[in-house]
Amino acid sequence: MVDLRDYFQSADWKSEKHMPVIDAPASVKKGEAFELRVAVGKEIPHPNKTEHHIRWIGVYFHPEGDKFPHEIGKAEFAAHGESTQGPDTSSVYTSPSVALSFKTDKSGIIFASSYCNIHGLWMNSMKVEVI
């Protein structure tokens, strides 16, 4: 049986343009909403061309003690310069970044995944402590 986890790649986001970078507080107040941002290409810009781009970013939260993570949100990026005139002829390009807000009563791990149409699946995570 093939395990999907084997296809997720990760690396140091400061040297890898495909990593989803999570910006969120390390600790949050119980039951209070907080904002997090996820971007691909934070230190090294990722190409955003018809032939090479980030297609989507997904964000999940796995509370301590829960069996499964919860999907917090997913953003799809559909404008990469393509048009009826051909590749990279449009003046419209999306930026692979997303801002989300949620609240939790439990500490846990935020997971962010992204998909590059050429280099596949990428994942990053960070722990959030509830105080």
Side-chain angles (χ1 to χ4, degrees):
M1 183 165 153
V2 176
D3 190 339
L4 182 61
R5 292 175 293 186
D6 294 339
Y7 295 101
F8 279 92
Q9 304 171 73
S10 78
D12 178 6
W13 62 267
K14 292 179 182 176
S15 62
E16 174 51 64
K17 64 187 169 201
H18 292 94
M19 278 295 288
V21 178
I22 303 167
D23 284 322
S27 63
V28 298
K29 291 184 180 178
K30 183 177 182 176
E32 286 190 16
F34 65 96
E35 186 174 279
L36 68 98
R37 294 182 172 277
V38 178
V40 175
K42 183 174 180 176
E43 290 289 317
I44 303 170
H46 187 280
N48 189 15
K49 300 285 193 169
T50 304
E51 71 279 355
H52 187 192
H53 56 268
I54 298 299
R55 181 76 54 151
W56 53 258
I57 294 173
V59 182
Y60 310 86
F61 181 69
H62 188 206
E64 288 179 353
D66 284 14
K67 184 173 182 177
F68 299 110
H70 301 269
E71 183 177 39
I72 301 301
K74 186 171 183 179
E76 294 189 25
F77 308 104
H80 311 291
E82 64 268 326
S83 77
T84 57
Q85 307 297 312
D88 300 316
T89 57
S90 171
S91 62
V92 180
Y93 295 84
T94 51
S95 175
S97 65
V98 62
L100 302 165
S101 179
F102 80 101
K103 61 184 177 179
T104 180
D105 290 342
K106 293 182 178 181
S107 298
I109 299 175
I110 296 170
F111 292 94
S113 58
S114 62
Y115 179 74
C116 172
N117 71 315
I118 292 179
H119 299 105
L121 295 165
W122 293 81
M123 184 175 65
N124 198 0
S125 63
M126 80 169 279
K127 182 156 178 61
V128 173
E129 199 69 40
V130 171
I131 54 174

